[in-house]
């Protein structure tokens, strides 16, 4: 596999992207006539870039970006390129497996699909009889085939449906819902003149369209101010890199607000027309001066003031990035609200180079449906996690819930215990803190099912593993990919499923039939669903497949305030405006404006531990994929030379990372690229499944060390408030 593309098309990109982007090579047009090129959609991460899959003699020989997509410029990243390596990996599970050994041992027998379905269906029906349908929990990483698992869960009658979101962007999403009335917002990266990023590591933790957009901006002179306590590829690409003390970004943002208001650098007309609560905001930030913020962040007051002035001057094409992974600190929810306030003061909503609302199909008078099904049974039971419930987590959307609630429910029986769990494209053991407690909970379940392409860490504890075929081997329902204009995208099967693997549409239909819920899946196959989805657009699958994506011909990229800065923008908040002060938050007993809480300092002899993702792996999903494993087989513990010297740790030494009686072992990387009181690792190692033969036992996993900490406002996990000891081993 090539990762370093030598083509001139990428020569202008900054380091992180240059190494990873794959230009739409001319080779696509030059290969032998026997090749078939299939338009499809990448699933090596959930950005879902459009791709071209080159197939020769029934084998995938090459994956490239689809050059028709402007935002990616036809590029894909190293992970996208490695799809073939996933497809062909001998470690993939290629037949249903039923556990014969102890949970976690990874000892299974091969089973037919019918046996596997029968096994699951019989147990589910017993569980429903004894405890009610609510005893089933389903956790998933939302994907194009989401409707199949969701339909199964709703037909079964359980309210306990979780996504992975509370381990990722939930805090940000809730902040957006409260402030803007929607989380369907995006940034017009290529046209932004001044971007402030609070740790959104665009050049390493990639979304190809976003990274390309930023590169376009930088190459025409846009500025990027990047805050990260660690040097990352984005630090290198940025015009300014600032190294705040971990967890203090909020102080920086509050001081920016203070300067913009004190120096009258904000868009008064915008604030008046489109926001409410400005007076309360101004009062709240009055004392948060750059001098104050300097003592919190460790960044000089003059620098903070300058960034605020430059941001205010560049408006409306100045944007504070609202980030992606926001399961970070206890003050993160406030940080995201402060970032949205910065954007409101910049008046950048719905203008080129600003922030915009997604222009989805719905706004265009239509939607992507799925298939006809009977009404779902009424759900009587409450959710185990309190999502959407007054007094518990009223702001958490029920489509997401709190994925960390599983062990709590199973082990304490509060409010009642889940007895069965289906993990779909989701590995709770690798993704959620307090792994030992999740393991304890798994051991108490009557039924654990993993639907995955591998035997994940969770899979090793499962009773049954149902092997889904990979994205290259299946057609999924048509997905929406709207931005400034509505857009749909189509993942079509490139090659037949290997071994005895099946797609989701088939797995849940057949499982439902075995469970007595077949009436909810009255379709023949995926083609029938796709045909029905496309009918309202006058499209056929064959037509859509030509380019792989489609925008209604009459739809144009739309900025609502481009020509008329007073144009109406419908926001679904109670006031219809951007809520800088939220009466809703006040009513629930949460901070309604903005206020600072400092992160606690590491206790004597400990370090704050932080993590991030690396360029060549996705979360914890790809570390075992042969070519990606080869590129980065393990992680190290980054530690600054001063504390390392004190502890007698040299670069490359074995170390033990310890907290509350738990430990992980790994190698030290002694580097000045991290602050003295902080240690860092890339996320995704410390894996335990015997089915992941390459990566098992390698590197450091923080989820084995961290406790579950939940933000009481947004329900989001808090993953950077744990302190560790480090010793030479
Ligand atoms: N300590 C720590 N924990 C974290 C994070 C962190 O930085 N540090 N990051 C958090 C973040 S941002 C996220 S989003 C979550 C991610 O955690 P998860 O939601 O678990 O997501 P992934 O690791 O991307 O993939 C999960 C599983 O999907 C499987 N998979 C891949 N493709 C397919 C497919 O086509 N079909 C099926 N059925 N399965 C497939 C993979 O084999 C893998 O086992 O983790 C969170 N947890
Ligand atoms: N290559 C690649 N791309 C990915 C993913 C992947 O795993 N690999 N995962 C995808 C997913 S699911 C997500 S959610 C996104 C996540 O993308 P990002 O939101 O960029 O998240 P992370 O990589 O988790 O963390 C980013 C940075 O935060 C820094 N950081 C730690 N503490 C602080 C702090 O106090 N302040 C500031 N300012 N920075 C801090 C870390 O050092 C790290 O460099 O990326 C997506 N894209
Ligand atoms: S960012 Fe990379 S891995 Fe993610 S969908 Fe795009 S090409 Fe695939
Ligand atoms: Mo994520």
């Amino acid at each position: 596999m090539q990762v370093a593309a030598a083509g001139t098309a990428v020569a202008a990109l900054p380091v992180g992207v240059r190494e990873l982007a794959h230009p739409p090579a001319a080779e696509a047009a030059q290969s032998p006539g026997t090749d078939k090129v299939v338009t499809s959609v990448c699933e090596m991460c959930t950005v879902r870039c459009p791709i071209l899959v080159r197939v020769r003699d029934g084998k995938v020989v090459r994956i490239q970006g689809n050059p028709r997509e402007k935002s990616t410029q036809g590029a894909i990243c190293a992970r996208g390129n490695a799809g073939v390596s996933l497809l062909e990996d001998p470690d993939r599970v290629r037949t249903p497996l039923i556990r014969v050994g102890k949970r976690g041992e990874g000892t299974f027998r091969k089973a037919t699909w019918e046996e596997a379905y029968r096994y699951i269906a019989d147990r589910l029906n017993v569980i429903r009889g004894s405890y009610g349908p609510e005893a089933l929990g389903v956790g998933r990483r939302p994907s194009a085939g989401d409707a199949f698992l969701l339909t199964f869960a709703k037909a079964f009658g359980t309210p306990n449906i979780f996504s992975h979101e509370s381990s990722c962007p939930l805090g940000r999403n809730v902040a957006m819902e409260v402030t803007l009335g929607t989380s369907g917002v995006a940034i017009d990266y290529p046209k932004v003149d001044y971007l402030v990023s609070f740790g959104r590591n665009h050049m390493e933790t990639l979304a190809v369209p976003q990274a390309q957009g930023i590169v376009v901006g930088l190459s025409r002179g846009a500025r990027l101010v990047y805050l990260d306590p660690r040097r990352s590829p984005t630090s290198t690409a940025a015009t300014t890199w600032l190294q705040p003390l971990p967890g203090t970004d909020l102080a920086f943002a509050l001081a920016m607000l203070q300067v913009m208001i004190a120096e009258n650098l904000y868009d008064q007309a915008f604030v008046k027309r489109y926001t409410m609560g400005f007076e309360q905001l101004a009062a709240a930030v009055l004392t948060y001066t750059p001098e104050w913020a300097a003592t919190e962040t460790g960044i000089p007051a003059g620098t903070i003031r300058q960034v605020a002035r430059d941001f205010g001057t560049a408006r409306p094409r100045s944007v504070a990035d609202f980030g992606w992974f926001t399961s970070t600190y206890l003050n993160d929810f406030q940080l995201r609200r402060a970032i949205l306030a910065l954007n409101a003061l910049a008046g950048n909503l719905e203008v080129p180079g600003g922030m915009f609302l997604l222009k989805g199909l719905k706004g265009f008078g239509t939607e992507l449906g799925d298939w006809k099904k009977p009404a779902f049974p009424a759900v009587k039971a409450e959710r185990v996690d309190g999502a959407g419930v007054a007094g518990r987590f009223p702001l958490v959307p029920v489509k997401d819930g709190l994925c960390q609630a599983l062990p709590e429910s199973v082990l304490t029986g509060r409010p009642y215990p889940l007895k069965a769990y289906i993990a779909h494209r989701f590995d709770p053991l690798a993704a959620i803190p307090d792994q030992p407690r999740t393991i304890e909970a798994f051991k108490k379940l009557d039924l654990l099912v993993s639907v995955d392409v591998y035997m994940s860490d969770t899979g090793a504890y499962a009773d049954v593993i149902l092997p889904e075929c990979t994205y290259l081997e299946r057609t999924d329902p048509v997905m929406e990919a709207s931005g400034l204009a509505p857009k749909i995208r189509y993942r079509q099967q490139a090659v037949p499923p290997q071994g005895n693997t099946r797609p989701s549409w088939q797995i849940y239909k057949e499982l439902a039939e075995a469970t007595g819920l077949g009436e909810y899946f009255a379709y023949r196959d995926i083609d029938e669903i796709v045909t029905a989805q496309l009918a309202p657009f006058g499209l056929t699958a064959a037509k859509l497949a030509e380019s792989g994506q489609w925008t209604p011909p009459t739809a144009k990229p739309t900025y609502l305030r481009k020509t008329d800065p007073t144009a109406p923008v419908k926001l679904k908040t109670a006031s219809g405006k951007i809520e800088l002060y939220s009466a809703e938050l006040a009513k629930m007993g949460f901070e309604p404006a903005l206020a600072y809480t400092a992160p606690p300092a590491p206790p004597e002899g400990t370090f704050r531990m932080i993590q991030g993702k690396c360029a060549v792996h996705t979360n914890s999903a790809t570390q075992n994929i042969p070519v990606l494993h080869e590129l980065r087989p393990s992680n190290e513990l980054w530690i600054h030379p001063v504390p390392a010297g004190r502890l007698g740790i040299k670069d490359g030494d074995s170390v033990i990372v310890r907290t509350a009686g738990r430990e992980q072992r790994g190698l030290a990387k002694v580097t000045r690229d991290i602050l003295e009181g902080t240690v860092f690792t890339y996320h995704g190692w410390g894996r335990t499944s015997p089915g992941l033969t390459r990566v098992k036992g390698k590197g450091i996993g923080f989820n084995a060390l961290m406790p579950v900490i939940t933000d009481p406002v947004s329900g989001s996990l808090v993953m950077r408030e744990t302190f560790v000891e480090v010793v030479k081993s």
Side-chain angles (χ1 to χ4, degrees), residues 98-109 119 460-463:
I98 294 179
R99 183 168 61 85
V100 289
K102 283 201 197 114
R103 283 195 200 270
E105 241 175 41
T107 325
F108 292 85
R109 71 174 171 86
Y119 183 103
Y461 283 83
D463 298 292

Side-chain angles (χ1 to χ4, degrees), residues 46 141 164-165 167-169 324-326 613 619:
T46 48
R141 185 88 206 248
H164 77 294
E165 297 272 291
S167 73
C168 181
W324 187 349
F325 173 70
T326 62
K613 285 84 166 173
N619 305 325

